[in-house]
Amino acid sequence: MKHDYHNDPDSGEAQQFLSWLESETAEALRADYGNLESVKSSVFLYVNRAYEAGLPDGLVGQIFGRCIAKAGYTEEEQDAVLDLLESLASVARAVHSPE
């Protein structure tokens, strides 16, 4: 599923995209639990989809925080996965920057 959130942040389609992205990511992280390489892949897929859609940084972090909580990660594990998010987000941001 794709959406141009930058140009359409308030429609029902935007909310449907955000719900889908959160659900898909939480499920992938749950399935990947315990496999670092798979977790890295799912985190990168998430940030790539988020920045391709034009989500603002704050929303990217907010949604991802809910995803790792839904996936059942402990606080310590959440911190490690959030570190992954930060490092991989810079790559996805660069790929999808408008310049």
Side-chain angles (χ1 to χ4, degrees):
M1 172 177 243
K2 292 189 177 200
H3 183 76
D4 183 355
Y5 190 85
H6 180 72
N7 290 321
D8 181 20
D10 298 319
S11 71
E13 288 178 2
Q15 294 311 308
Q16 184 179 15
F17 171 76
L18 295 176
S19 294
W20 170 83
L21 181 61
E22 184 174 326
S23 176
E24 286 288 310
T25 303
E27 184 59 36
L29 290 171
R30 188 177 303 114
D32 296 339
Y33 189 84
N35 183 331
L36 181 58
E37 289 305 311
S38 292
V39 170
K40 285 180 185 177
S41 294
S42 290
V43 172
F44 186 72
L45 182 59
Y46 168 76
V47 294
N48 191 57
R49 287 171 168 167
Y51 285 111
E52 180 180 43
L55 299 184
D57 288 337
L59 189 55
V60 170
Q62 180 182 28
I63 292 170
F64 192 75
R66 290 195 305 261
C67 292
I68 56 178
K70 286 180 179 181
Y73 287 64
T74 66
E75 280 190 43
E76 184 177 299
E77 292 165 335
Q78 288 180 21
D79 289 342
V81 178
L82 285 170
D83 288 344
L84 275 174
L85 175 74
E86 288 181 26
S87 65
L88 295 173
S90 62
V91 175
R93 204 179 294 116
V95 167
H96 296 289
S97 69
E99 298 169 10

